[in-house]
Amino acid sequence: NILVIGCGGAGLRAAIEAKLNGLQVTVLGKRNKNDAHTVLAAGGINAAFGNVDPEDNWEHHFIDTYLEGYGLGDPEQIEIMTKESPFYVKEIDQWGADFKKLENNKFDQRYFGAHKFRRTCYSGDYTGQSILNALLRKTKLLNIPIYDSEYVSDLFVKNNICFGAMSLNIFTGERTAHLADAVIICTGGHTRIWKNSSSRKNENTGDGYHLGLKAGCELSDMEMVQFHPTGMVLPKELSGTLVTEAVRGEGGILLNSQGQRFMANYDSKRLELSTRDRVAMANYNEIIEGRGTDNGGVFLDISHKSKDFIIEKIPKIYRQFMEHSLIDISKNPMEVCPTAHYSMGGIKVNPSDHSTRIKGLFAAGEVASGLHGANRLGGNSLAEILIFGSHSGKSASKFSKSLSSQMRSNKIISLAHEYLNSSISKGEENVYLLKSELRDIMWKYCGVIRNEINLNKGLEKLNQLEKLLPAIDVRLENNNQNDLINKLDLHSSLVTAKVTILSALERKESRGSHQRSDFKETKDDYKLNINAKIEDNKFIIKKSIPKKMKNELISLLERYERAEEGANKLIE
């Protein structure tokens, strides 16, 4: 049997694949299955159909993804994604995602930043929700059990073999030791640990990375965190809430407080459709150099388009600003600023089957590293969860069928109980205040632009925060588990925050989403992955050279570069 941790898109697709391969499968999630983080992926899913721009194909999609990831992405993983995404987009549409169609009944496709062609398929600006709904219908059809009130606190690992996990019911506190032949982690990233974040409370706290580290996995490129250029500024309680790239894809423009369309100064060719890291840097620079709004943002304006167009193309964003800010975006601009949005690093996996260095343990979706490199292209994450969710489900099933006997260990299960028992404490510290302090530390010292002095200060402050963990007051009266779960989350967030800062210190250059004011250049000798693991309760940080690219992919990139040089000479 297979255990899947996480009931978002990657977890559900993994579970479906395992079930279709004849295995019993159980899904654990810590938030309502209808409201997993996948619903926030609004703008679309990439597949090189060439429906709107016939020149497009998987090779162009590969080039865009690899080059805009600044050469850090795993070529094999990128190749799999770009070749297979048309199949999985068709499949999920048949399962009920209901993407927008052209008159010839082929998928409509829109521009997303840094794509040469229109290759993003979509359902208005609620694509993630439509995909999640389709996956939930399929899991129901297959009778796959989903328990979406379970917090997973530990994996069971002995002799480098994973045989299950410990979970805690978030309402009752009841513990369950889940025994499994294989476990698939699909828990998302760690972007909630920044003050401005597009994630919501109690999601993307880094718990999947913490589980992986404790199990013996390596994490890779944890410093590569994408700051989406456009998060809401007001109201304060929704600060950081995502304003989808679809707004810019459909013609939205960025203006500073002086009314200048400033992207011309940062990327005169692609303007607002530049890569996310460049647009985020541009927005950040305009704000810190005094050309931002009074509320600390810049303006995103689509009011030059008709109201009917806006309501057809980006209905959710129209409602979002009307309901929460009383702003009609067909008449007035939105105020936006960068927001921590996506973890491009994560658990190191084998590119094809998404296995980890622990036997029987797999990872898929945002929690896994390798696909995006130093910068994620919008629309690739929804393709990733479907494709590699499926691959991990297939691989876990194959592993399960290969077993002649199953590992079990009462001692390991007892240790998981001990971790929970030791987390219940009486003390003076308030976990909510400490979580808020952690988010402030990461935003101030490891934000959009970094340097060695600030990173070291941030590390020092995290170490001070960590010393307060045993003094956190955890009350479990009347079956209230909130204090305990928040403490577990804080512990995971502290661990992943430290790994992120240590990795950022190690990368002494600026590349993609990792920007350092003390090392502004991108250096060839840092075309490396920064890997982290825990040994003897200490972090070990090492560099490794990305895997060598296949000859046919090398020649593909060379052909592209020659064509670009020729085009540039013609322009000159």
Side-chain angles (χ1 to χ4, degrees), residues 242-256:
L242 191 66
V243 180
T244 173
E245 190 168 309
V247 176
R248 287 175 287 128
E250 298 294 352
I253 60 172
L254 288 161
L255 304 166
N256 60 25

Side-chain angles (χ1 to χ4, degrees), residues 549-560:
M549 194 180 286
K550 291 192 310 194
N551 288 335
E552 51 264 46
L553 294 176
I554 292 171
S555 63
L556 170 64
L557 285 170
E558 286 171 349
R559 284 202 315 274
Y560 168 76

Side-chain angles (χ1 to χ4, degrees), residues 254-260 262 286 290-294 297-299:
L254 288 161
L255 304 166
N256 60 25
S257 58
Q258 297 162 14
Q260 297 166 328
F262 57 83
E286 293 298 308
R291 295 183 296 278
T293 66
D294 292 341
V298 292
F299 293 116

Side-chain angles (χ1 to χ4, degrees), residues 141-191:
L141 201 66
L142 294 170
N143 293 318
I144 295 170
I146 302 170
Y147 303 100
D148 56 359
S149 304
E150 297 291 316
Y151 186 100
V152 176
S153 55
D154 258 312
L155 298 175
F156 301 148
V157 178
K158 186 178 180 184
N159 300 337
N160 211 46
I161 298 168
C162 183
F163 63 92
M166 174 68 78
S167 78
L168 172 82
N169 186 282
I170 62 176
F171 298 116
T172 66
E174 183 182 358
R175 299 175 189 180
T176 308
H178 304 266
L179 303 178
D181 300 339
V183 175
I184 308 172
I185 306 178
C186 304
T187 50
H190 69 321
T191 47

Side-chain angles (χ1 to χ4, degrees), residues 129-362:
Q129 180 78 67
S130 66
I131 286 173
L132 186 71
N133 291 347
L135 290 169
L136 285 167
R137 280 193 290 273
K138 189 71 173 175
T139 53
K140 192 175 181 182
L141 201 66
L142 294 170
N143 293 318
I144 295 170
I146 302 170
Y147 303 100
D148 56 359
S149 304
E150 297 291 316
Y151 186 100
V152 176
S153 55
D154 258 312
L155 298 175
F156 301 148
V157 178
K158 186 178 180 184
N159 300 337
N160 211 46
I161 298 168
C162 183
F163 63 92
M166 174 68 78
S167 78
L168 172 82
N169 186 282
I170 62 176
F171 298 116
T172 66
E174 183 182 358
R175 299 175 189 180
T176 308
H178 304 266
L179 303 178
D181 300 339
V183 175
I184 308 172
I185 306 178
C186 304
T187 50
H190 69 321
T191 47
R192 183 67 189 172
I193 70 174
W194 278 267
K195 180 185 165 189
N196 281 357
S197 170
S198 61
S199 299
R200 300 159 300 182
K201 277 196 281 189
N202 305 324
E203 64 182 14
N204 288 331
T205 54
D207 47 331
Y209 300 137
H210 192 198
L211 287 173
L213 280 171
K214 286 195 287 183
C217 295
E218 276 190 350
L219 304 185
S220 187
D221 299 331
M222 288 297 289
E223 74 284 6
M224 292 302 177
V225 176
Q226 183 170 74
F227 290 88
H228 196 288
T230 55
M232 288 179 81
V233 173
L234 296 172
K236 282 293 178 195
E237 61 271 19
L238 292 180
S239 175
T241 300
L242 191 66
V243 180
T244 173
E245 190 168 309
V247 176
R248 287 175 287 128
E250 298 294 352
I253 60 172
L254 288 161
L255 304 166
N256 60 25
S257 58
Q258 297 162 14
Q260 297 166 328
R261 189 177 179 183
F262 57 83
M263 276 311 299
N265 302 325
Y266 298 92
D267 188 337
S268 58
K269 190 175 176 185
R270 297 182 293 191
L271 298 169
E272 285 81 11
L273 291 177
S274 183
T275 56
R276 286 182 172 179
D277 60 302
R278 286 193 192 179
V279 184
M281 279 283 293
N283 289 357
Y284 187 78
N285 275 335
E286 293 298 308
I287 294 162
I288 63 169
E289 289 175 9
R291 295 183 296 278
T293 66
D294 292 341
N295 298 309
V298 292
F299 293 116
L300 174 60
D301 192 4
I302 198 166
S303 63
H304 49 278
K305 297 283 188 178
S306 73
K307 188 170 185 173
D308 288 344
F309 176 90
I310 290 167
I311 288 172
E312 181 198 347
K313 297 289 187 179
I314 46 169
K316 201 172 171 186
I317 292 295
Y318 181 83
R319 285 197 310 275
Q320 187 172 307
F321 276 88
M322 187 64 85
E323 288 171 12
H324 298 296
S325 302
L326 297 178
I327 289 172
D328 181 345
I329 65 169
S330 69
K331 296 175 182 173
N332 299 293
M334 301 157 255
E335 278 187 79
V336 295
C337 72
T339 180
H341 179 57
Y342 196 90
S343 308
M344 289 164 298
I347 296 173
K348 199 160 186 149
V349 293
N350 179 290
S352 59
D353 67 4
H354 272 233
S355 59
T356 69
R357 65 205 292 258
I358 307 301
K359 288 178 186 171
L361 183 60
F362 303 79

